[in-house]
Amino acid sequence: MVRQIEERFPHLESSVSSGYGSTETGLISWAPGWMLKAAPDCVGPLMPTSQARITDDDGTELPPGAEGNIEARSWMSMLGYWHNDDANAETVRPGRWIRTGDFG
């Protein structure tokens, strides 16, 4: 997509970027255009105000390189869903970690 934008709109070349996050967590990571050119599938490094980790289904943090559930937190993370205790129990982990529902 970056290459297509550059070809069609060359004046926008330096404005293309990508990020990872959700309504519940806010923006967790960001990749500027130069980074996407080098690694088109990347989501960039974590924002300075964000944390992310990979956990198993029980919420135990896994070692680097392991695959599992992406959990994230930041100052923008929600405190919980409005009047939805079941969703909160499933999504909001101890320490205000938010289970994103994504696999990483």
Side-chain angles (χ1 to χ4, degrees):
M1 183 176 4
V2 173
R3 282 193 224 40
Q4 290 176 343
I5 291 171
E6 289 175 355
E7 289 170 8
R8 179 92 167 105
F9 307 101
H11 62 287
L12 296 178
E13 178 180 2
S14 63
S15 65
V16 176
S17 64
S18 179
Y20 173 76
S22 67
T23 302
E24 292 84 356
T25 63
L27 185 63
I28 297 299
S29 67
W30 178 71
W34 64 266
M35 191 177 291
L36 293 173
K37 285 182 184 180
D41 294 334
C42 80
V43 294
L46 292 172
M47 300 296 290
T49 57
S50 301
Q51 295 176 304
R53 66 183 185 179
I54 305 297
T55 64
D56 63 17
D57 289 337
D58 295 323
T60 302
E61 189 169 356
L62 297 174
E67 295 179 349
N69 304 295
I70 299 174
E71 294 186 2
R73 67 180 178 184
S74 75
W75 66 272
M76 295 182 285
S77 294
M78 70 169 188
L79 299 177
Y81 293 107
W82 182 256
H83 295 298
N84 194 338
D85 294 337
D86 291 339
N88 289 331
E90 186 177 321
T91 305
V92 183
R93 302 292 186 190
R96 293 193 54 211
W97 288 97
I98 305 295
R99 178 167 280 184
T100 65
D102 294 334
F103 185 77

